[in-house]
Amino acid sequence: MSQMEVFVRQIKSRSAEHQRAVKALSSAQAHGQVVAILRQELDSMVRVIYLLSLPIDRRLALVSASVEGERWRRENSRGTITDKEMVDLAQKLNGWTQSVYKFGCAFIHLSALHDYENRDPIGLLPANERDDLIEHCRQYHKGPTQEAPTFRDFVPYLPAVLKKISDNLNCYLETLTGNEPPNLLHL
């Protein structure tokens, strides 16, 4: 099995686990953990998008590093490739990537947003981030429809957000493995 096949298998396995976890966590009303999983799925997607932006030899070197459990290093070996770099690239392709990623990070790292049982995380966001989340959720998922939605108003849409990220990820994986034309991405 090639390293590319192992890499794709890892991503698909992680994604399938995310699907199962979101169902279980939604039933347990562990909504903060659902958001953290959205962020993890988005992490896979931005990495694949980043790989697709590279020449094939560099792409294969990073796939190899990932399979071997190594950090992704810059070509000149001076420092690692940052999540910010990958998110910035993905943001150019999907206008919603950065807002979902940033919101998800707040649920991975300890933050005020973990107090969502007592304070509304949406209300704790800066106005521009709040507006971006509301706009993107309405554009792609037709809601929430409330004038000033709260976190609870977003909860029913979280599984659909995961599906959107997963569907995009699968399209990018098809391109990565050569099963789709490379013009799928306009990099």
Side-chain angles (χ1 to χ4, degrees):
M1 180 172 277
S2 74
Q3 289 197 315
M4 181 64 78
E5 290 169 323
V6 172
F7 180 75
V8 170
R9 184 184 65 206
Q10 287 173 178
I11 291 173
K12 288 185 174 188
S13 177
R14 181 184 194 198
S15 187
E17 185 173 337
H18 289 160
Q19 301 293 329
R20 293 188 310 273
V22 163
K23 285 180 185 173
L25 292 167
S26 293
S27 294
Q29 297 185 356
H31 308 301
Q33 294 305 306
V34 170
V35 175
I37 288 173
L38 295 177
R39 165 37 181 85
Q40 291 175 42
E41 187 79 352
L42 194 56
D43 178 73
S44 295
M45 188 185 88
V46 299
R47 287 176 186 282
V48 172
I49 289 171
Y50 187 80
L51 289 170
L52 288 168
S53 74
L54 301 172
I56 191 73
D57 60 329
R58 186 71 184 124
R59 183 185 306 172
L60 293 174
L62 292 179
V63 164
S64 177
S66 186
V67 170
E68 299 301 324
E70 299 169 2
R71 295 175 80 66
W72 284 12
R73 302 199 72 65
R74 296 189 195 299
E75 198 162 13
N76 62 13
S77 297
R78 292 189 177 180
T80 58
I81 298 166
T82 66
D83 287 356
K84 182 182 179 344
E85 289 173 73
M86 292 184 279
V87 170
D88 287 349
L89 176 63
Q91 176 68 18
K92 291 176 186 174
L93 299 170
N94 301 307
W96 50 268
T97 305
Q98 198 165 47
S99 58
V100 175
Y101 192 90
K102 200 168 187 182
F103 189 66
C105 281
F107 283 92
I108 287 182
H109 307 292
L110 183 60
S111 74
L113 276 59
H114 283 99
D115 195 23
Y116 65 87
E117 293 292 336
N118 299 295
R119 297 184 290 168
D120 178 40
I122 303 299
L124 296 174
L125 296 174
N128 62 325
E129 290 179 32
R130 180 177 52 248
D131 293 346
D132 283 349
L133 279 176
I134 293 168
E135 177 188 333
H136 296 311
C137 197
R138 286 177 177 160
Q139 179 181 350
Y140 293 106
H141 307 292
K142 308 295 184 229
T145 57
Q146 296 80 354
E147 188 173 323
T150 65
F151 182 65
R152 291 273 175 219
D153 299 323
F154 278 89
V155 166
Y157 298 94
L158 296 179
V161 172
L162 177 64
K163 182 173 179 358
K164 171 79 172 160
I165 296 167
S166 298
D167 288 350
N168 283 335
L169 173 59
N170 285 328
C171 286
Y172 295 131
L173 284 172
E174 286 295 314
T175 303
L176 186 68
T177 58
N179 295 329
E180 289 290 329
N183 68 355
L184 230 161
L185 293 176
H186 304 286
L187 300 173

